[in-house]
């Protein structure tokens, strides 16, 4: 599986790529020699978004490539198209004619090219892109390559089926990441979770063959404290409230929050941000056997709150609650939780938007602005206080699955907020983590959501 993607080093000759706006198409064609213009017209080149036209040289080789910029509306609707078009060119070295790239977001072009190099080939050989792109001048090559490597890590982790990505495999991946960057990992697992007061992580994962665990990584010696908490449910059967088969098919991705957190952690550590990083991943499988936790059980969380279990398929918020309670004890400057938590979030905003919750207006604005800059779409959802009563069952402090089926993403977020009450700046993401069909630079399968927006927002939020 690919672990990173790179730009070509400058130096050797490279074929020029000329970006063409539809409104300027005739002027571009008029500037070509007669045969090249005839070739472009004969191939029906119209400069639509991502459309390519390879112009031959007199020697019969590739002399120049035209790529359409499309309309402004088309560019708003589709991400990474031009970079993906470059990655799809025939084998060779290419270099952007930057005089044709006015008003082009070069970072997005570069990321589109890098992201398009991804192939998940662990179980099947897949042909890789053979086009090489010399990094356009003016972009931060190291930053973009670090972002791509973090995204590839996220995709690889999500795409790997649970047989090879259980709690122990997730721990191995986290230890490998820590070793790469000089971080330190500790783990609490099995019955030691009870001894060290992580009862809900233990309850959710105790029925599985691979024992549940809380994996913790620390990195950095100075700066503000950032805590990232990622849901690591490596497979979710639904427990005794067993999912139907159609709903279980994608449950290898239920550790997508953990995968996204680890991808973001890689970006942060690779770029050497001046902060202290604390990463927590409760890693479990929600399985079925005689020891599985039951509907009607009342669990006591790490912070002493009691939780009535009304659906064992609402398990992600349980394992996150213990991890958030631990994270809160360190009083981080910012705590971010990422989880593939509810189907209700998909009903609300669909698969492409990453909804987030926060009470901090400054964080919300900074994050939204960053998302727009880097084209990593997020959408703020409300911590709607009047719904607090929906998560209070009466017999216990909290209900893990309020009846009625309404506002499911909001009530889940409110549940988690009860375990982050000591942290002044808390952000919760309810992501999907999956690309449903092939798209430019985003093949069908696991996908990172929100990480690039967070990375771009961190300097302002944490005053780095």
């Amino acid at each position: 599986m690919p672990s990173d993607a790179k730009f070509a080093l400058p130096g050797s000759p490279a074929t020029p790529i000329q970006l063409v706006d539809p409104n300027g198409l005739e002027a571009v064609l008029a500037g070509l020699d007669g045969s090249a213009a005839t070739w472009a017209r004969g191939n029906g080149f119209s400069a639509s978004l991502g459309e390519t036209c390879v112009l031959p040289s007199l020697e019969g080789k590739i002399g120049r490539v035209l790529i359409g910029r499309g309309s402004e509306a088309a560019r708003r609707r589709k991400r990474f198209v031009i970079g993906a078009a470059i990655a799809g060119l025939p084998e060779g070295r290419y270099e952007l004619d930057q005089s044709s790239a006015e008003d082009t977001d070069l970072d997005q072009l570069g990321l589109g090219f890098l992201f398009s190099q991804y192939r998940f080939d662990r179980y099947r050989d897949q042909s890789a892109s053979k086009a090489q792109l010399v990094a356009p001048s003016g972009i931060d090559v190291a930053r973009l390559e670090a972002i791509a490597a973090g995204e590839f890590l996220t995709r690889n982790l999500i795409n790997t089926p649970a047989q090879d990505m259980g709690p122990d495999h997730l721990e191995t991946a986290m230890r490998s990441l820590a070793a790469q960057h000089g971080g330190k990992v500790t783990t609490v697992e099995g019955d030691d979770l009870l001894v060290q007061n992580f009862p809900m992580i233990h309850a959710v994962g105790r029925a599985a063959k691979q024992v549940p665990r809380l994996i913790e990584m620390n990195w950095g010696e100075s700066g503000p404290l950032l805590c990232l908490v990622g849901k690591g449910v490596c497979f979710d059967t639904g427990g005794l409230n067993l999912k139907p088969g159609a709903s279980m098919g994608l449950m290898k991705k239920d550790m997508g929050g953990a995968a996204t957190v680890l991808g973001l952690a890689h970006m942060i550590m690779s770029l050497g941000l001046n902060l202290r990083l604390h990463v927590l991943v409760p890693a479990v499988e929600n399985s079925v056997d005689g020891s599985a936790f039951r509907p009607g059980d009342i669990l006591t969380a790490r912070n002493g709150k009691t939780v009535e279990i009304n659906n064992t398929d609402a398990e992600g918020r349980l394992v996150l609650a213990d991890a958030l309670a631990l994270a809160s004890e360190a009083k981080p400057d910012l705590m971010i939780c990422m989880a593939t938590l509810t189907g209700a979030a998909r009903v609300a905003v669909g698969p492409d938007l990453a909804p987030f919750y926060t009470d901090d207006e400054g964080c919300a604005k900074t994050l939204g602005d960053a998302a727009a800059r880097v084209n990593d779409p997020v959408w703020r959802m409300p911590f709607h206080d009047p719904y607090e009563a929906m998560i209070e069952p009466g017999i216990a402090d909290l209900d893990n699955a309020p009846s009625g089926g309404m506002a499911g993403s909001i009530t889940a977020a409110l549940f988690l907020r009860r375990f982050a009450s000591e942290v002044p700046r808390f952000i919760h993401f309810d992501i999907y983590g999956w690309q449903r069909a092939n798209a430019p630079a985003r093949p069908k399968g696991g996908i990172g959501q929100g990480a690039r927006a967070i990375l771009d927002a961190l300097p302002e939020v944490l005053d780095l």
Side-chain angles (χ1 to χ4, degrees), residues 318-337:
L318 302 177
V319 299
L320 287 169
D322 274 351
L324 289 171
L326 173 63
S328 298
E329 294 166 13
K331 301 190 183 307
D333 297 283
L334 175 66
M335 182 161 69
I336 300 175
C337 170

Side-chain angles (χ1 to χ4, degrees), residues 43-294:
N43 281 277
F45 180 70
S46 63
S48 61
L49 182 61
E51 182 185 7
T52 62
C53 182
V54 176
L55 302 178
S57 67
L58 294 176
E59 297 79 19
K61 299 179 180 180
I62 299 175
R64 176 174 288 268
V65 176
L66 306 181
I67 297 183
R69 294 184 71 235
S71 66
E72 184 177 348
R75 293 194 295 273
R76 284 199 306 269
R77 288 196 302 268
K78 294 184 178 181
R79 293 180 283 166
F80 305 127
V81 174
I82 295 175
I86 296 172
L89 291 173
E91 181 175 0
R93 284 172 54 84
Y94 299 90
E95 187 167 17
L96 183 65
D97 176 355
Q98 294 196 214
S99 66
S100 70
E102 186 177 351
D103 298 328
T104 298
D105 188 332
L106 295 181
D107 279 357
Q108 289 299 299
L109 184 152
L111 279 176
F113 173 77
L114 295 175
F115 286 171
S116 296
Q117 296 181 41
Y118 180 79
R119 301 291 187 277
F120 185 68
D121 56 7
R122 178 167 180 171
Y123 304 96
R124 175 192 176 198
D125 289 339
Q126 298 193 48
S127 59
S129 170
K130 295 183 179 180
Q132 301 176 54
L133 176 65
V134 176
S137 62
I139 68 170
D140 187 335
V141 172
R143 181 179 178 85
L144 295 191
E145 289 182 347
I147 289 172
E151 171 68 17
F152 282 17
L153 173 61
T154 295
R155 294 183 186 184
N156 285 340
L157 292 173
I158 296 174
N159 284 330
T160 303
Q163 70 194 59
D164 295 320
M165 191 47 65
D168 56 352
H169 303 97
L170 193 53
E171 179 183 343
T172 297
M174 199 159 165
R175 288 187 179 278
S176 176
L177 181 64
Q180 181 181 351
H181 296 288
K184 181 181 179 182
V185 171
T186 58
T187 304
V188 182
E189 64 179 56
D191 290 342
D192 284 345
L193 289 165
L194 296 176
V195 175
Q196 298 193 36
N197 194 23
F198 301 105
M200 294 210 292
I201 298 174
H202 181 272
V204 172
R206 69 193 182 202
K209 289 184 178 180
Q210 289 190 24
V211 297
R213 65 204 68 199
L214 178 65
I215 317 166
E216 183 174 3
M217 180 175 71
N218 286 282
W219 173 88
E221 301 294 334
S222 63
L225 178 59
L226 169 65
C227 184
L228 304 178
V229 181
K231 175 185 169 185
V233 177
C234 295
F235 195 83
D236 181 19
T237 66
L240 293 177
N241 290 114
L242 195 68
K243 291 178 183 288
S247 299
M248 211 183 298
L250 275 183
M251 283 302 99
K252 70 174 184 178
K253 80 171 184 68
D254 212 19
M255 40 66 70
T260 303
V261 159
L262 294 185
L264 175 57
H266 174 82
M267 299 175 199
I268 290 169
M269 294 186 290
S270 294
L271 297 173
L273 297 191
N274 183 31
L275 54 77
R276 291 171 293 142
L277 182 62
H278 185 201
V279 180
L280 289 167
V281 171
V284 302
E285 289 188 51
N286 187 19
S287 298
V288 179
D289 80 356
S291 67
F293 73 121
R294 299 163 290 257

